[in-house]
Amino acid sequence: MNKEIMSRVVKKRQADPKVVQYVWAAIEVIRNQKQIANMDRISKYLSRVFGMHPKETARQLSLAVKDGLVVETLTVGCKGSKAGIEQEGYWLPGDEMEPKAEGSKEWETESHDWYCFECHLPGDVLTCDNCFRVYHLKCLSEDNKPRDGGSHWQCVACRGSKKKNLNKQEMSKYLRFIIQRMKERAVDLNKKGKDTKHPMYKRLIHTALDVTNIHENLSEGKYKSFEEFKADVQLIVHNTAILYGVHSDQAEIARLLFSDTCHELNELLLCKNCFYLSNARPDNWFCYPCSPSHDLVWAKMKGFGYWPAKVLQREDNQVDVRFFGHQHQRAWIPSDNIQDIKVSVQQLQVKRSNGWKKACEELEVYQRFLREGRFWKTKMDDGSQSQHHQQSQSQRQQQDEEEESSGRTDRLERTDEAESSISSTSNEQVRHLKGSQEPKAKKSRRTQMVELKEEASDPEPEMEAVSSSQEIPVSSAPQQPEKLSVSTQTKKASGGSPRTLHRGTQTNTDGACQNMCHEKYTKVFNDVKEMMKADNKRETERIVREALEKLRAEMEEEKRQAVSKAVAGAQAEMERKCKQVKEKCKEELVEEVKKLVAQHKQLISQTKKKQWCYNCEEEAMYHCCWNTSYCSIKCQQEHWHADHKRTCRRKR
């Protein structure tokens, strides 16, 4: 079994691609100095620049020659002591001077990669029968290894590509968000800027690919499954590790890019609708239910209260939720901290902050959408999305207009109630005023009676009591004859009256009547207006007086509190200062006593060290015997004859 598997193993390249690039750099530098790139010069350069050991340099150089990445030739020296002597030198492939090597382009016809797709290193590899990828046997798991030598073997990428997930349009719709983020993260990959168009680049990288190529493949609809897309992103990691080194910073950036892409794909497979809405971000995107809809729960994180959330997935005793609210954060919550959404808020004892209230409002919108069956259709195009957006805007505008109209109706009702007290003073006169007034024209009383009889069949609309200076707008077409002149209206009203009737007399009578009504109603309105002004003034004075009294009381209270606080602070400060002064005085006293004691001791010590006159107790100058001294000869003579002559022990 093992022999059959080993028979499929192929020997590719053996030299480390990173070291090969070091050797290429050394050969270019040496050749630019017009010298032959021999083993000694290459070894010194690699040791000085890259810190490579000479033995390792020799081994890698020999492997590079076997792999065809470096060409070994015999070159004749042209200067110095070795001029005209053949020397062993190394050239870059394609630059060698031997004609037989110029046509060797076997690397261009190679169908498979030269380095393991898993560890990105050279060695004996196993080739895939469907693609260009190769693997070390040690890099494959037991499930992915071939069963025997004759069977058709496919790599992990080829096996996953058989699963067809979505059609081309849906693949492009979802993956374009991932590619956009890949472009933002892939900027650091090209900061060092290796020239990918260099001819030597193709000798290391079998299949060149970057984020731009992936975007083009997606636009052309070449991806049939998410695994194919994932394999291409992994190819970027493979090429970066070969070009910059397996443990380089660029390779770490590429691995981070791949892990982020895998995370995005997992999120896409978890819920396509949530993935699309979280990236497209239409209005109320978090409120649209998915199909099937997510469970709604109350979730509690450590240090926070219960919060409304959607359940995305469950694993063992952990629940992956996404919270309603401003940022729609996600977290894994223990099952013990999950409550059903039907549990009342009073039982949860939630602190109702502004953020919590906004989250509950969003939850209510979600539940309303769910009841109405308003699901976001991921297959709709941009036109339908804009249409839906316009419909939602029109609905909001209609709601705003309804609210404004209701507000206006309430204000009009309040105005009617206020004016009803005015119009109730003389209802008959007001009704007479309604029938008599017209916009931009004056009517006589006879004309009014005729028009009332003619329009008895049509109900007259109610009108508010207005002054004579105001105009009543014409509401319908049948009222157009009311705009006729006074003479025409008089003719229609009188019918068979004699022509000798003086129209001037009628006009004067009508004008006097209207002036009298106008004065009467003006007086009524003025009285009511003055009464309302007086009431308003009294109410305003009362409110101002109460506000002043309240402010004065508050000011007195604040003043009393401020005075008491200031007095208490001053007393506390005084006590603190007194305490500090006492402590300072006590410390100074102790220091002074210590100084005096030290001086006293010093004086006593100095006194003990001196000799004193036995007769007058002054400081002695003359020593007599063991315990007797004198300050002068006079004292010595006085004490000698008096007493000391009998007790002196001085030898004479």
Side-chain angles (χ1 to χ4, degrees), residues 357-544:
K357 292 179 180 178
K358 291 181 180 178
C360 290
E361 291 175 0
E362 195 173 32
L363 173 64
E364 292 176 359
V365 175
Y366 176 88
Q367 292 175 337
R368 178 165 60 84
F369 283 7
L370 188 62
R371 289 192 301 268
E372 296 174 358
R374 294 178 60 180
F375 294 92
W376 184 271
K377 297 180 180 180
T378 57
K379 292 184 179 180
M380 62 174 58
D381 53 1
D382 295 338
S384 60
Q385 291 180 8
S386 61
Q387 183 180 1
H388 177 76
H389 183 64
Q390 292 175 359
Q391 290 178 358
S392 61
Q393 286 184 349
S394 63
Q395 290 177 0
R396 287 196 297 271
Q397 291 177 359
Q398 291 177 1
Q399 292 177 359
D400 295 339
E401 291 176 358
E402 290 175 0
E403 292 177 357
E404 291 178 0
S405 62
S406 62
R408 287 195 299 268
T409 305
D410 296 337
R411 289 193 295 270
L412 288 174
E413 289 176 357
R414 289 193 296 269
T415 306
D416 294 340
E417 291 176 1
E419 293 179 352
S420 62
S421 62
I422 301 175
S423 61
S424 61
T425 55
S426 57
N427 294 328
E428 296 178 355
Q429 296 174 354
V430 171
R431 285 196 297 271
H432 178 73
L433 181 64
K434 287 182 182 179
S436 62
Q437 291 179 347
E438 288 182 1
K440 301 179 183 179
K442 295 182 179 180
K443 299 181 180 180
S444 64
R445 185 174 297 178
R446 297 177 181 178
T447 308
Q448 294 170 4
M449 297 301 293
V450 172
E451 289 178 355
L452 288 174
K453 290 179 180 180
E454 290 177 355
E455 296 178 1
S457 58
D458 298 329
E460 183 179 0
E462 294 184 358
M463 300 173 64
E464 296 179 357
V466 295
S467 63
S468 60
S469 61
Q470 294 178 343
E471 293 183 359
I472 303 175
V474 180
S475 60
S476 58
Q479 295 178 357
Q480 291 179 358
E482 295 176 1
K483 297 182 179 180
L484 299 174
S485 62
V486 176
S487 59
T488 307
Q489 294 175 357
T490 305
K491 289 179 181 180
K492 289 184 178 180
S494 59
S497 60
R499 295 183 180 180
T500 59
L501 184 63
H502 298 286
R503 288 179 292 179
T505 305
Q506 296 176 358
T507 304
N508 293 333
T509 305
D510 295 341
C513 181
Q514 286 188 356
N515 290 333
M516 184 176 61
C517 294
H518 172 70
E519 292 176 357
K520 186 174 183 179
Y521 286 114
T522 302
K523 183 178 180 181
V524 171
F525 281 122
N526 290 335
D527 294 341
V528 174
K529 185 177 179 181
E530 293 296 332
M531 181 179 63
M532 292 179 68
K533 282 185 178 181
D535 293 341
N536 188 17
K537 185 177 181 180
R538 286 195 298 271
E539 184 68 18
T540 304
E541 290 177 353
R542 184 183 63 80
I543 293 174
V544 171

Side-chain angles (χ1 to χ4, degrees), residues 21-219:
Q21 294 181 73
Y22 293 162
V23 173
W24 287 349
I27 293 174
E28 286 183 354
V29 171
I30 295 170
R31 294 296 302 169
N32 290 335
Q33 296 174 356
K34 304 299 181 181
Q35 294 179 346
I36 297 175
N38 54 21
M39 175 67 72
D40 187 26
R41 292 191 177 99
I42 293 175
S43 178
K44 288 181 180 178
Y45 179 84
L46 295 183
S47 177
R48 182 178 71 255
V49 178
F50 301 107
M52 287 187 60
H53 196 272
K55 290 184 178 180
E56 180 66 18
T57 301
R59 189 179 73 85
Q60 291 291 339
L61 190 56
S62 63
L63 294 176
V65 172
K66 292 179 181 179
D67 295 341
L69 298 175
V70 177
V71 179
E72 183 180 7
T73 60
L74 292 175
T75 307
V76 179
C78 60
K79 64 178 182 177
S81 60
K82 295 186 178 182
I85 301 175
E86 288 188 351
Q87 300 181 40
E88 187 182 55
Y90 297 93
W91 295 71
L92 296 179
D95 295 342
E96 64 274 6
M97 301 179 63
E98 297 182 4
K100 62 180 181 180
E102 291 181 358
S104 59
K105 294 186 178 180
E106 297 179 356
W107 59 274
E108 294 183 355
T109 60
E110 184 67 40
S111 60
H112 286 81
D113 205 334
W114 302 286
Y115 305 101
C116 176
F117 201 73
E118 188 69 27
C119 65
H120 323 295
L121 294 176
D124 298 340
V125 292
L126 183 67
T127 60
C128 178
D129 293 333
N130 280 2
C131 67
F132 61 92
R133 297 175 180 84
V134 296
Y135 295 87
H136 293 139
L137 282 177
K138 62 181 180 180
C139 296
L140 292 172
S141 61
E142 293 296 330
D143 297 337
N144 296 326
K145 288 182 179 179
R147 298 180 181 179
D148 51 30
S151 61
H152 186 79
W153 182 75
Q154 297 178 356
C155 63
V156 181
C158 293
R159 292 179 184 178
S161 62
K162 291 182 178 180
K163 302 175 182 179
K164 188 174 182 180
N165 301 97
L166 301 171
N167 56 34
K168 296 180 180 179
Q169 294 180 354
E170 291 180 340
M171 292 283 288
S172 176
K173 192 172 192 177
Y174 293 124
L175 295 181
R176 62 187 175 92
F177 298 112
I178 301 178
I179 289 181
Q180 183 64 31
R181 278 189 287 273
M182 286 174 61
K183 287 182 178 180
E184 297 173 357
R185 297 166 185 166
V187 175
D188 296 333
L189 279 178
N190 301 322
K191 279 188 176 179
K192 291 187 178 179
K194 288 204 174 182
D195 189 7
T196 57
K197 296 182 180 180
H198 194 275
M200 303 305 296
Y201 175 84
K202 297 180 180 179
R203 294 181 181 268
L204 293 177
I205 304 301
H206 182 273
T207 305
L209 190 73
D210 57 8
V211 180
T212 305
N213 301 131
I214 295 178
H215 192 191
E216 292 175 357
N217 294 339
L218 181 64
S219 301

Side-chain angles (χ1 to χ4, degrees), residues 229-271:
F229 179 81
K230 184 178 178 181
D232 275 1
V233 180
Q234 192 176 7
L235 181 59
I236 295 179
V237 181
H238 177 66
N239 294 342
T240 305
I242 292 173
L243 198 61
Y244 295 98
V246 178
H247 303 291
S248 63
D249 295 339
Q250 302 298 100
E252 291 299 326
I253 294 173
R255 291 190 187 97
L256 182 62
L257 175 67
F258 177 69
S259 63
D260 292 343
T261 303
C262 292
H263 175 73
E264 296 285 347
L265 289 175
N266 291 334
E267 293 295 319
L268 175 57
L269 294 175
L270 186 63
C271 182

